[in-house]
Amino acid sequence: MFKPALLSLFIFTGFVHAQTASGTAALKATETPAFKKLQEAQAGSIAEVKAAQDEFKQTFSQMNFTNFAESPVKGIYELHTGGNVIYFTPKSENRKGVIIFGEMWDSNGVSLTNESKLKAIKSEWKKLPVGSAISIGDKNSPSYYEITDPDCPYCHSYHEWIKDYSKTNPVQRNLIFMLNPGHPEAPAKIEHIICSKDKEQAINDMFEQKPVALEKCPEAKGIIQQHQDIVKALGVNGTPSFVFDVNEEPELIVGFNKSKVMEAITKAADKVKAKTSELIKPNSTQKQ
């Protein structure tokens, strides 16, 4: 916390720094008609979004949401709820506001809805308890996150494939477990993985459906809840799903699409190699 005197000095110093020649030119630029017109347009846009948001709250008062904003289509607004993107059009004539479920696609086949989800993942990821993920594999290899379920047959297929694939293409898998009401035995298996000392062996046993005595521990409940919080924030509703490269441009892959997963792993591996090469590159100014 700044002391009052220090805060005053900080403000004063910043103000003086702003009054340079370039600062004066910038100040004059703000007095031009074009800049004032831009300000008015921005203010009008903000007011329109605020009015639409207020209307949405009144019309759909039971729906919680985050990040209410303009969508790529003028007159339609987007909002995030439980990690999903839905759309809203304000009232017109005698019809009240309408919500729209679905995806927006452009003429190039790009999902604008998915792009919006990825932006939300990027901005929210650091706030999520991803440190609770169960990590196995080579820590120096491409790392990514799996949203999975030990009783999901598609997750079993992926598990068998990645075990074989990683023998020649090492990866670090970070497992986040999603609870499925249709799989009542899965929570006990998830707890066994969390509580086992040898987590990789426990994962192999559970995903390969081997009969073993299931471990229990008090911390499992909290970790499982953290995983559900992550799943909800990402808006994932199917397993397996994957999140790659979350620190730069996150990519969300829903479902075991082998070609997409392989491509994402290859890209991640290339980035690891590039970073490693940069670290070990000799200094060009260093004497040989």
Side-chain angles (χ1 to χ4, degrees):
M1 182 179 295
F2 286 109
K3 293 183 178 179
L6 182 59
L7 180 59
S8 299
L9 178 62
F10 177 80
I11 295 172
F12 179 75
T13 303
F15 177 78
V16 171
H17 179 69
Q19 302 306 309
T20 60
S22 60
T24 302
L27 183 62
K28 288 182 179 179
T30 64
E31 298 172 354
T32 64
F35 186 85
K36 289 180 179 179
K37 187 175 181 180
L38 177 62
Q39 279 187 316
E40 290 172 359
Q42 290 175 335
S45 177
I46 293 172
E48 288 176 4
V49 173
K50 178 66 167 58
Q53 180 173 316
D54 291 343
E55 183 182 329
F56 178 85
K57 287 180 179 178
Q58 294 174 1
T59 310
F60 300 97
S61 58
Q62 301 302 314
M63 186 175 290
N64 295 320
F65 66 91
T66 58
N67 193 38
F68 191 101
E70 290 181 296
S71 80
V73 179
K74 186 172 178 59
I76 300 178
Y77 299 86
E78 69 176 43
L79 54 139
H80 293 248
T81 174
N84 294 306
V85 177
I86 64 173
Y87 300 98
F88 172 71
T89 59
K91 63 183 177 182
S92 59
E93 298 179 353
N94 297 325
R95 185 174 58 223
K96 291 185 177 180
V98 174
I99 55 175
I100 305 168
F101 295 88
E103 285 196 52
M104 283 190 180
W105 297 80
D106 68 11
S107 58
N108 296 317
V110 176
S111 171
L112 303 178
T113 302
N114 195 50
E115 285 189 346
S116 184
K117 284 185 179 182
L118 294 180
K119 287 179 183 178
I121 291 173
K122 186 175 181 180
S123 63
E124 294 295 321
W125 187 259
K126 290 183 179 180
K127 302 175 186 178
L128 299 175
V130 295
S132 63
I134 306 301
S135 300
I136 61 172
D138 186 351
K139 293 182 180 179
N140 298 314
S141 296
S143 178
Y144 60 94
Y145 292 81
E146 305 172 13
I147 293 88
T148 189
D149 171 359
D151 279 350
C152 158
Y154 300 106
C155 301
H156 295 168
S157 298
Y158 161 75
H159 173 77
E160 287 299 321
W161 174 79
I162 195 63
K163 269 186 67 178
D164 184 61
Y165 182 79
S166 61
K167 290 176 183 177
T168 53
N169 302 273
V171 295
Q172 183 182 32
R173 300 167 60 189
N174 301 282
L175 280 68
I176 296 169
F177 294 105
M178 174 179 169
L179 295 180
N180 183 336
H183 298 160
E185 297 179 3
K189 296 177 182 179
I190 295 170
E191 182 172 5
H192 170 74
I193 293 170
I194 293 170
C195 301
S196 297
K197 291 182 179 180
D198 188 341
K199 290 180 170 47
E200 186 161 2
Q201 183 60 53
I203 288 168
N204 290 336
D205 290 341
M206 295 300 97
F207 281 81
E208 294 164 22
Q209 299 177 293
K210 295 178 181 177
V212 297
L214 299 181
E215 298 281 348
K216 293 181 177 293
C217 59
E219 62 268 25
K221 183 177 180 181
I223 293 174
I224 291 173
Q225 183 56 56
Q226 287 181 318
H227 287 195
Q228 304 325 294
D229 293 341
I230 296 169
V231 170
K232 182 178 179 181
L234 296 180
V236 172
N237 53 19
T239 55
S241 292
F242 310 89
V243 183
F244 283 86
D245 207 9
V246 295
N247 292 321
E248 294 183 27
E249 292 300 326
E251 179 180 3
L252 176 64
I253 299 174
V254 179
F256 177 30
N257 184 318
K258 189 182 297 184
S259 61
K260 284 188 175 182
V261 172
M262 286 180 65
E263 183 182 358
I265 291 175
T266 301
K267 286 181 181 178
D270 289 342
K271 288 188 177 182
V272 170
K273 289 177 183 177
K275 287 180 181 179
T276 303
S277 298
E278 191 65 28
L279 288 172
I280 64 176
K281 184 185 297 182
N283 190 333
S284 58
T285 61
Q286 187 176 351
K287 292 183 180 180
Q288 299 297 321

